[in-house]
Amino acid sequence: MHPSNGDLTQRHYTLILISISLATFMTALDGTIVNIALPTISEIFNLPSTTVAWVATAYLLVLTGCVLIFGKMADRIGFKIIFLAGFGVFTAGSFFCGFFPEFFNSFDTLIASRVVQAIGGAMIGAIAPALVAAFFPMKMKGKAMGMVTMFAALGTAAGPILGGVLTQYLSWNWIFYINVPVGIAAILIGSYAIPASPAAQATPSPFDRLGALLVFIGLGSLIYAVSEGSTLGWTDPTIMAALAAAVITLGYLVLHELKMSDPLLDFRLFANRNFLYVNLMLILSYFLFGGVNYLLPFFLELVKGLDPSTSGFVLTALSVAMMVSGLLAGMLINSIGNRKLCITGAIAVSAGYLMFQFFSADSSMLYIVGTLAVVGFGVGLLVSPGTNMAMSMASRDKHGMVSSLINVERYGPMTLGISFISMIFIQAMLTVGTHRHVTESSPANIRIDVLATGFDLVFVAVFIISLAVVALAFLSRDEVHADNLDEETLETAVVGV
């Protein structure tokens, strides 16, 4: 059985939250800190940018492919074991990334070390939301989830800044070494504070190995295809083979899991329409946010004419606003409820994307920063209660599974969003450029007009899709499974299935 909330003191809750926040911060930081050092790594190892990009791609492939597997394992053998082991693997992998490539003068060792780091990242990423759902009482869940969202935004914002400083003033190795002391601290804190929880299932059936293999191959193939498709070309045989593998394996995964008594991913959860609506809302939110976050630097640098450092500084408005709204959402969840916050956040996001329609070369920086702040504020206000809703609808024996599912819904859709937005943008520019007979020798102002038109069409598409997020937020309902209720709230809560 899970330990009761009565076994934990306020000190334990605080330390558990610190451990979870450090995990969220580290995984978010590592998603953005590496990119800034890729040009330096490319120069040191004398490799083209397409090859060096595998430092980021390999991490994403393994992380996405493994997160569901570790979520299910945690449901079976306990959260503490997976969480602390994940921190150990992630910390060791971070040290390997910084040390081995230079020691052996080998780029291959960096890729291998990133794989180790990604396995650890999948372990801690899969468990973080589940720890909140499993150990925090209802009255504290909202604040805890808001704090986790804040640290995720902080890690995302700090990555490029910290990566630039470490690379410039120390060396690229330190973008990995920085994780080591944080990881050690998290292991020590977590070992003391997190209760030792045995497996949720007393007599578990054999682990779904085929499902794990299908998840890894299917998600890995999909992420590879969408990550490399724009570089190699969507008709490249490798990309087409990867897409075919993704469709076949993921399709068979659904059929296989529906037959299993103890599936790796229980698709029957989606028979609950409310669970389906909330997860679709999160998927579309991350999908749009990933694509827009990728495209905005191009707008700021190519249309507004900003230098990269100034562009990066402007983009921090997104993360800062997410930090603020994440904390605010945590404070308001208990008094307002998840659904109302999701609706407010979705409307704010859609309003921000509507404001994008007025972006141009003449837009003031105040308007641009304000628009980014509106979008970031809305995303932070939506993600915390949305995650809380999804976790609350699952029984305790499925917390690890749903927690890892939410992580897949973050990494996968953000990658898909980048490819989708990039594809629309390129196609829009080609269509407009061809119609206006624009070439590289055309005057600069005409070429900028074509760029601006491409951005305009993308922003229209983003706004239209954001309306679906608003609709899903209105369709959602606050629903709590009986497993997640405290005794004092059991009689008044709405019990899910």
Side-chain angles (χ1 to χ4, degrees):
M1 293 176 62
H2 282 276
S4 66
N5 289 338
D7 296 333
L8 301 175
T9 65
Q10 184 60 46
R11 175 184 174 86
H12 280 93
Y13 286 129
T14 301
L15 291 176
I16 292 172
L17 185 56
I18 290 174
S19 294
I20 299 170
S21 299
L22 287 176
T24 308
F25 176 80
M26 286 174 67
T27 51
L29 180 76
D30 212 69
T32 57
I33 196 173
V34 172
N35 292 342
I36 200 75
L38 291 182
T40 301
I41 296 173
S42 175
E43 184 178 347
I44 289 174
F45 289 99
N46 193 28
L47 294 170
S49 59
T50 52
T51 301
V52 174
W54 273 96
V55 175
T57 304
Y59 181 84
L60 184 63
L61 283 172
V62 176
L63 181 71
T64 309
C66 289
V67 70
L68 277 171
I69 298 171
F70 288 120
K72 182 60 179 178
M73 288 178 64
D75 282 332
R76 297 167 66 90
I77 66 175
F79 296 148
K80 184 172 184 176
I81 296 174
I82 296 294
F83 191 66
L84 295 182
F87 259 120
V89 174
F90 185 87
T91 303
S94 297
F95 176 78
F96 296 161
C97 286
F99 180 76
F100 284 144
E102 195 166 56
F103 184 81
F104 291 106
N105 191 28
S106 168
F107 178 74
D108 291 341
T109 59
L110 176 57
I111 299 300
S113 299
R114 283 287 277 174
V115 169
V116 174
Q117 192 186 33
I119 292 172
M123 294 170 80
I124 59 180
I127 306 307
L131 288 174
V132 174
F135 298 128
F136 284 76
M138 286 296 293
K139 63 183 180 180
M140 297 176 66
K141 277 183 170 65
K143 291 182 180 179
M145 205 66 77
M147 185 67 71
V148 170
T149 300
M150 187 203 76
F151 271 91
L154 179 61
T156 302
I161 300 170
L162 189 58
V165 170
L166 292 174
T167 302
Q168 182 173 345
Y169 294 104
L170 293 175
S171 71
W172 67 268
N173 313 73
W174 280 92
I175 65 175
F176 300 110
Y177 288 148
I178 194 70
N179 291 327
V180 175
V182 179
I184 292 173
I187 291 172
L188 294 175
I189 295 171
S191 297
Y192 168 76
I194 300 174
S197 55
Q201 299 166 317
T203 56
S205 56
F207 185 74
D208 184 10
R209 295 179 182 178
L210 177 57
L213 181 64
L214 292 172
V215 164
F216 187 82
I217 294 175
L219 290 178
S221 299
L222 181 62
I223 296 299
Y224 171 78
V226 298
S227 298
E228 301 295 310
S230 57
T231 302
L232 299 178
W234 293 103
T235 57
D236 181 87
T238 305
I239 299 301
M240 294 181 71
L243 287 173
V247 171
I248 293 170
T249 53
L250 292 178
Y252 183 63
L253 172 70
V254 176
L255 297 176
H256 170 74
E257 295 298 281
L258 288 173
K259 297 176 183 177
M260 298 293 292
S261 59
D262 184 23
L264 186 74
L265 177 58
D266 191 354
F267 286 96
R268 288 177 284 263
L269 287 169
F270 294 99
N272 179 346
R273 289 187 180 182
N274 196 35
F275 187 81
L276 176 64
Y277 294 151
V278 171
N279 282 273
L280 284 176
M281 179 182 68
L282 291 173
I283 288 171
L284 288 179
S285 298
Y286 285 124
F287 176 83
L288 294 177
F289 187 75
V292 167
N293 209 24
Y294 165 79
L295 195 64
L296 282 172
F298 293 95
F299 173 83
L300 294 174
E301 294 174 30
L302 299 178
V303 176
K304 289 295 295 179
L306 302 181
D307 59 74
S309 60
T310 304
S311 175
F313 181 75
V314 169
L315 288 174
T316 58
L318 281 168
S319 299
V320 171
M322 281 182 65
M323 290 167 56
V324 173
S325 60
L327 274 178
L328 182 63
M331 290 163 35
L332 296 176
I333 281 178
N334 290 332
S335 58
I336 295 180
N338 295 302
R339 178 176 179 267
K340 290 180 180 178
L341 285 173
C342 284
I343 291 173
T344 305
I347 291 173
V349 168
S350 192
Y353 290 145
L354 179 61
M355 293 168 69
F356 277 6
Q357 314 306 312
F358 304 99
F359 274 17
S360 69
D362 298 324
S363 298
S364 69
M365 292 309 302
L366 180 63
Y367 180 78
I368 292 174
V369 170
T371 300
L372 298 183
V374 171
V375 172
F377 188 85
V379 170
L381 208 60
L382 184 152
V383 168
S384 289
T387 301
N388 197 36
M389 269 204 285
M391 293 300 305
S392 296
M393 281 184 274
S395 58
R396 282 185 179 271
D397 64 331
K398 291 183 171 62
H399 278 171
M401 177 194 298
V402 176
S403 177
S404 58
L405 174 64
I406 290 170
N407 274 275
V408 170
E409 292 172 350
R410 178 173 63 185
Y411 296 117
M414 286 181 74
T415 306
L416 291 170
I418 291 172
S419 294
F420 176 76
I421 295 299
S422 177
M423 188 166 54
I424 291 181
F425 178 62
I426 292 171
Q427 190 58 48
M429 284 197 304
L430 288 174
T431 302
V432 174
T434 302
H435 180 71
R436 297 185 183 180
H437 306 290
V438 176
T439 63
E440 291 186 4
S441 60
S442 299
N445 64 317
I446 294 179
R447 282 184 280 131
I448 290 177
D449 284 345
V450 172
L451 279 171
T453 303
F455 284 113
D456 289 343
L457 292 175
V458 168
F459 292 151
V460 168
V462 167
F463 171 68
I464 292 173
I465 297 173
S466 74
L467 296 178
V469 178
V470 176
L472 288 166
F474 273 100
L475 288 171
S476 67
R477 295 288 183 272
D478 280 312
E479 185 177 311
V480 183
H481 194 282
D483 278 2
N484 302 310
L485 294 173
D486 303 320
E487 291 183 4
E488 64 268 23
T489 59
L490 185 57
E491 295 182 359
T492 58
V494 178
V495 178
V497 294

